[in-house]
Amino acid sequence: MSTSALLSRGSGARLLRLCGARRAGEGTPSVGGGDAPRRRIIDMSYSAHFMDYTGTAIPGAMKKLVVTELSPRFREAVALQTVAVPTPGNEELLVRNRFVGINASDINYSAGRYDPTVKPPFDAGFEGIGEVIGLGLRASSEYTIGDTVAYFRNGAFAEYTVVPAKESIRVPLVKPEFLTLLVSGATAYIALKRLGDLTKGETVLVTAAAGGTGQFAVQFAKQAGCHVIGTCSSNEKAGFLKSIGCDRPINYKMENLGEVLRKEYPKGIDVVYESVGGNTLELAVNCLAQKGRLIVIGFISGYQSASGIPAFKGATLPVKLLQKSASMRGFFLPHFLSDYGAALAKMMQMMAKGQLVSEVDCGDLEEEGRFSGLESVFRAVDYMYAGKNLGKVVVELAPAALSNSKL
């Protein structure tokens, strides 16, 4: 890319002029008042990267969450650390995170269950959304300072994250609703499409239906013309489920789930989208109809235990399901990765048209208040595991005055 082309790129042009001024000996540009330390531009030749110091006042240090010991107890496993703000490489973006998403799998990750070869310390968090404030030269062919992006990769629990440009997802606004699609929405969309094989008129049971991924499974099943049952833990959540199309919300704190399924659905359930495990999984297995499909996306009820798997009576699992499970191993992940881009594009299109609801829970009704700041990630994880959330749990990192969010 030519220098003249780079100079035509909005805030990037201002950056190059600043770099040029410094090289001519005119001094380092001011990046804000106060006594807080500020980083100086590292590469004055602008041949490697561009950094928006004037637009965002990039500090010299940042906070991030690091797994320092392997444990399913998040507060014990993870520590808040202060480190230098990273510099993006040639094909990378430096993103100032505005919102980060909380997932049940955050605990599995802190316990080292995904890759036993990875040893602490390592960065925590999977998904974030924010603005590009720095980028490498090659990355500048597709992005510029100020672009809004979302991403799904390790190290999201930080004030600033370096993300490969090819793994970044351009979004129209820094709204947490877009963040909910990265893991929760994509899991529901691809699982039901690839494994559910939904047919109009079938009955679908979604457990933890008012949670981050359950809310999407309910909507996708309903859009396929299915009768949807959703489990939840409060009347408020039941009301929410009705508002997004759930035909039969079941508040298991008020009704016996097993009795309701046996009485109201004597022919069984065609598809179960299950994420709880334990007794709920046993009920799901036992209520399956002939040729029914069981999609298990998690076992959240057991993640905080030493094994990560809740107690399960293996004898209740039909042989046909064991055979089916063996044949499905290694099937979903490759298809998840290959379908991911198309799934996100479709969901964003649906959201823009008002065809998809994304409920976000930032803890506004909590006694300690909204999840704001990296320190509140610990509270947010506890909140989700206590089953208090309605929708996807999200933590806001930037002050509200600096955010584009409409929440």
Side-chain angles (χ1 to χ4, degrees):
M1 178 180 292
S2 68
T3 302
S4 60
L6 287 170
L7 286 171
S8 67
R9 300 186 61 143
S11 57
R14 182 175 67 251
L15 230 357
L16 291 175
R17 286 196 293 272
L18 289 172
C19 289
R22 175 60 177 165
R23 294 173 70 194
E26 295 179 19
T28 303
S30 174
V31 292
D35 297 326
R38 293 289 185 265
R39 290 183 71 190
R40 296 180 181 276
I41 296 176
I42 295 174
D43 187 343
M44 312 311 295
S45 70
Y46 66 78
S47 62
H49 55 260
F50 311 102
M51 305 285 278
D52 186 9
Y53 289 91
T54 56
T56 57
I58 303 174
M62 70 172 192
K63 295 177 182 178
K64 71 174 181 177
L65 295 185
V66 178
V67 178
T68 56
E69 65 175 273
L70 300 181
S71 172
R73 294 175 291 278
F74 193 79
R75 288 181 180 270
E76 295 180 11
V78 178
L80 181 67
Q81 297 185 354
T82 299
V83 300
V85 175
T87 300
N90 189 38
E91 300 180 357
E92 296 176 328
L93 309 176
L94 177 62
V95 179
R96 180 185 184 183
N97 292 318
R98 293 299 180 88
F99 295 94
V100 294
I102 305 298
N103 294 284
S105 48
D106 288 324
I107 281 183
N108 282 336
Y109 192 58
S110 71
R113 291 170 181 151
Y114 291 135
D115 186 353
T117 66
V118 178
K119 304 300 181 183
F122 53 86
D123 296 343
F126 294 132
E127 52 187 349
I129 186 171
E131 301 97 353
V132 175
I133 62 167
L135 68 165
L137 181 60
R138 182 166 295 180
S140 69
S141 65
E142 297 182 31
Y143 291 92
T144 190
I145 301 297
D147 282 349
T148 52
V149 297
Y151 63 89
F152 169 34
R153 70 177 278 106
N154 299 345
F157 289 163
E159 292 175 325
Y160 300 85
T161 302
V162 167
V163 184
K166 64 181 180 181
E167 296 180 19
S168 302
I169 301 152
R170 199 182 300 274
V171 292
L173 291 171
V174 181
K175 293 181 62 176
E177 288 82 356
F178 293 111
L179 184 65
T180 67
L181 305 180
L182 300 183
V183 176
S184 301
T187 298
Y189 185 93
I190 298 172
L192 290 175
K193 179 180 178 181
R194 282 284 182 179
L195 306 179
D197 193 24
L198 301 181
T199 301
K200 184 177 181 179
E202 288 188 313
T203 300
V204 177
L205 170 64
V206 179
T207 61
T213 187
Q215 63 174 327
F216 293 109
V218 167
Q219 294 175 79
F220 295 143
K222 191 61 183 176
Q223 289 166 7
C226 298
H227 177 89
V228 184
I229 309 161
T231 70
C232 62
S233 59
S234 71
N235 289 335
E236 179 190 10
K237 293 181 181 181
F240 167 69
L241 290 178
K242 287 182 179 179
S243 74
I244 60 173
C246 183
D247 298 286
R248 180 56 166 101
I250 301 175
N251 177 356
Y252 58 81
K253 294 288 184 68
M254 304 293 292
E255 299 182 89
N256 184 290
L257 177 59
E259 291 180 2
V260 170
L261 294 177
R262 285 190 293 271
K263 180 179 179 180
E264 299 184 19
Y265 302 94
K267 294 183 179 180
I269 307 299
D270 298 302
V271 179
V272 176
Y273 184 87
E274 218 289 283
S275 61
V276 178
N279 293 333
T280 302
L281 177 57
E282 291 179 20
L283 283 173
V285 169
N286 291 329
C287 76
L288 278 175
Q290 289 293 323
K291 298 183 179 180
R293 285 89 73 198
L294 174 64
I295 302 173
V296 177
I297 66 159
F299 303 96
I300 191 173
S301 63
Y303 288 167
Q304 292 178 301
S305 67
S307 67
I309 301 175
F312 181 79
K313 296 178 182 178
T316 67
L317 191 62
V319 174
K320 63 179 182 179
L321 279 179
L322 286 174
Q323 294 172 339
K324 184 71 171 176
S325 175
S327 69
M328 297 304 291
R329 285 174 186 164
F331 173 83
F332 182 61
L333 182 57
H335 283 92
F336 180 88
L337 296 176
S338 65
D339 290 355
Y340 189 67
L344 284 179
K346 178 63 176 178
M347 289 186 292
M348 286 188 182
Q349 184 182 58
M350 293 171 66
M351 188 175 288
K353 294 180 179 179
Q355 298 171 344
L356 188 63
V357 173
S358 173
E359 186 69 18
V360 174
D361 191 337
C362 287
D364 293 281
L365 301 181
E366 275 289 272
E367 286 186 15
E368 296 180 58
R370 185 179 179 85
F371 302 134
S372 181
L374 205 56
E375 298 86 348
S376 67
V377 167
F378 296 99
R379 278 201 302 125
V381 170
D382 291 343
Y383 177 79
M384 181 190 62
Y385 270 90
K388 297 179 180 180
N389 61 297
L390 196 167
K392 173 81 172 185
V393 181
V394 172
V395 173
E396 184 176 24
L397 298 192
L402 296 177
S403 174
N404 292 323
S405 172
K406 302 301 182 182
L407 285 182

